[in-house]
Amino acid sequence: MDDLRAALLRHLAQTSPSPLAVDVASAEGCWITDRNGKRYLDLVAGLAVCNVGHRHPKVVAAIKEQCDRYLHVIPYGEFVQEPQVRFAERLTALLPDGLDCAYFVNSGTEAIEAALKLAKRATGRTRLIGCRKSYHGSTHGSLSLTDNEAKKYRNRPLLPDTDHIAFNVMADLDLIDERTAAVVVEPIQGDAGVRLPDPAWMRALRQRCTAVGALLVFDEVQTGFGRTGKRFAFEHDGVVPDILVLGKALGGGLPMGAFISTQDRMALLTHDPVLGHITTFGGHPLPCAAGMAALDVLEEEGLAGHAGDMGRLFQELLAHPRIHQVRGRGLMLAVDLGDAARVQRVVHRCLADGVLGFWFLSCPTAFRIAPPLVITEQEVRHACQTILRALDRED
Ligand code: PMP
């Protein structure tokens, strides 16, 4: 086992100097088991991916069934691949008018890149606007819209003609102008430490974009598929974007992203020049089959509503003098301790006690609670007891 850990550090590039390095043997529902047989209650869900739980039997069955039919046959769009077509049909049937044509890619950040390209093409403009404290991914275009200087400064120059407005600040909407191709917004900011939108600001944002002809892009990579107590976070405020970007839970635990808009707008990718966005593996039948099964589970098991109930239970139980605030909606929560070193100690103590939590990229004073949406009341109680015990050990 130690061999494996040494090989990990030697042959797999790391992104932090001290990875958690839990040595995974198996995972099921809300639980991960390591190779020593230690069990962890998972409050991270692979960073908002495993919404229907690890290895849901229906998702596993759909993957196996598709494996027995075919895997990769040809890049996106040339052949009729049933899992791809059915999934696009099913997904867009759940969305409002104007979000009726989907393009499948491989990750959240690729979907953002493609949405930016589509917006430039559709408007003939170049200016792109993001929000302060946002996170949209790690490739150059997404990073340009992200507002986290620590992640950006070694990568400049990034995309030209990008700007940022403050989330929830009305006056900043004036910065969206006739030169703006797209405004990219997380309808609940995730890595900023879970920041909720002011519904009036969301409505004004929609109006301003429409008034100046800028496309409103919602990044629901993290908030989608029941995570916030609704199927999609934009449903809380009833503000519909021009382009919807999805990822993470979309593929039911397999890698996948998507951007969705009107058929007319998406058709722009077919000419002048043709192949406006191309990707070898986008729409691969395996994640499509898994994603379709996961969407069925989400609906059949009423997981969005359950996420709302379990989120409220977390908020109620997590009362402690060391907790400054529990923010969020559904099972997208930030527990703010107001102290970054304390967050590190508490997360590591919880890990030792078999509860897996994690921090945020841009909010070191809080840790996240984003478990699989299938978490039970008993498991929520167990998680909260462990967290409160870890907090009791702080002076
Ligand atoms: N947008 C948001 C809101 C995200 O949270 C993330 C990932 N944390 C991304 C985009 C990028 O997704 P990916 O890591 O799949 O590229």
Side-chain angles (χ1 to χ4, degrees):
M1 243 173 265
D2 285 347
D3 283 0
L4 204 57
R5 195 187 147 85
L8 163 101
L9 297 174
R10 170 71 185 84
H11 296 294
L12 266 178
Q14 298 302 304
T15 52
S16 79
S18 51
L20 291 178
V22 171
D23 191 348
V24 190
S26 62
E28 191 133 3
C30 278
W31 294 86
I32 297 174
T33 306
D34 74 10
R35 296 210 297 162
N36 293 315
K38 179 172 173 180
R39 298 178 80 226
Y40 298 86
L41 178 57
D42 179 9
L43 299 187
V44 183
L47 288 185
V49 170
C50 314
N51 285 14
V52 300
H54 295 280
R55 296 182 62 254
H56 192 289
K58 289 193 174 164
V59 176
V60 172
I63 292 172
K64 286 184 175 164
E65 201 178 304
Q66 185 55 39
C67 278
D68 288 340
R69 294 173 67 207
Y70 56 91
L71 294 174
H72 182 76
V73 282
I74 199 164
Y76 191 87
E78 292 298 329
F79 281 17
V80 179
Q81 298 187 50
E82 191 192 353
Q84 216 174 59
V85 181
R86 293 270 176 252
F87 192 30
E89 193 178 45
R90 174 106 163 81
L91 200 54
T92 53
L94 298 174
L95 293 168
D97 289 350
L99 297 174
D100 46 40
C101 187
Y103 190 122
F104 294 133
V105 294
N106 305 283
S107 65
T109 199
E110 188 192 350
I112 291 284
E113 298 287 339
L116 299 180
K117 287 166 65 183
L118 179 64
K120 283 165 121 175
R121 202 181 263 227
T123 59
R125 306 172 182 182
T126 55
R127 187 168 185 239
L128 299 166
I129 295 185
C131 281
R132 298 242 165 268
K133 295 186 186 285
S134 61
Y135 182 77
H136 298 293
S138 202
T139 52
H140 278 76
S142 303
L143 206 49
S144 306
L145 273 293
T146 292
D147 180 45
N148 181 331
E149 193 47 34
K151 299 270 173 293
K152 293 171 78 159
Y153 74 100
R154 295 297 287 262
N155 299 301
R156 294 192 196 285
L158 291 168
L159 277 188
D161 218 5
T162 53
D163 267 311
H164 291 86
I165 58 173
F167 191 69
N168 280 343
V169 173
M170 286 288 186
D172 272 27
L173 297 180
D174 293 344
L175 298 172
I176 303 169
D177 60 9
E178 275 80 8
R179 290 202 316 105
T180 308
V183 184
V184 184
V185 177
E186 297 160 84
I188 295 177
Q189 287 196 313
D191 284 303
V194 188
R195 305 269 161 195
L196 298 179
D198 169 357
W201 184 77
M202 288 294 259
R203 285 192 294 273
L205 168 69
R206 174 67 276 181
Q207 277 163 11
R208 179 72 186 167
C209 286
T210 306
V212 299
L215 298 185
L216 179 57
V217 180
F218 276 173
D219 176 347
E220 290 236 28
V221 169
Q222 200 170 141
T223 50
F225 300 98
R227 168 77 31 212
T228 70
K230 298 255 188 212
R231 209 182 275 132
F232 298 103
F234 72 77
E235 295 171 17
H236 289 288
D237 303 313
V239 171
V240 179
D242 300 302
I243 304 176
L244 178 66
V245 174
L246 300 173
K248 292 194 187 273
L250 169 70
L254 297 190
M256 191 171 191
F259 61 109
I260 303 178
S261 193
T262 61
Q263 196 183 6
D264 286 356
R265 202 172 283 130
M266 296 301 257
L268 297 171
L269 299 173
T270 63
H271 59 273
D272 189 26
V274 295
L275 305 175
H277 187 80
I278 48 175
T279 154
T280 301
F281 285 121
H284 189 285
L286 215 50
C288 286
M292 180 81 146
L295 188 53
D296 286 341
V297 170
L298 190 82
E299 300 293 300
E300 286 161 16
E301 299 188 11
L303 292 181
H306 181 69
D309 293 342
M310 293 302 101
R312 278 185 287 278
L313 186 60
F314 266 113
Q315 301 228 25
E316 183 190 311
L317 296 177
L318 286 175
H320 191 281
R322 300 268 176 262
I323 296 179
H324 286 207
Q325 192 185 28
V326 183
R327 286 189 296 274
R329 229 172 232 159
L331 288 171
M332 184 172 177
L333 299 171
V335 181
D336 205 318
L337 306 180
D339 178 335
R342 178 166 282 162
V343 165
Q344 293 291 322
R345 288 194 298 272
V346 168
V347 166
H348 280 100
R349 246 175 242 147
C350 287
L351 188 69
D353 285 349
V355 170
L356 178 65
F358 214 65
W359 29 85
F360 293 97
L361 290 175
S362 306
C363 184
T365 59
F367 64 91
R368 73 174 81 217
I369 294 188
L373 310 185
V374 292
I375 195 167
T376 62
E377 185 177 329
Q378 198 187 357
E379 287 164 341
V380 172
R381 291 186 186 280
H382 171 70
C384 291
Q385 277 159 10
T386 308
I387 293 166
L388 295 176
R389 208 167 48 229
L391 285 164
D392 282 343
R393 286 166 58 193
E394 291 290 302
D395 334 301

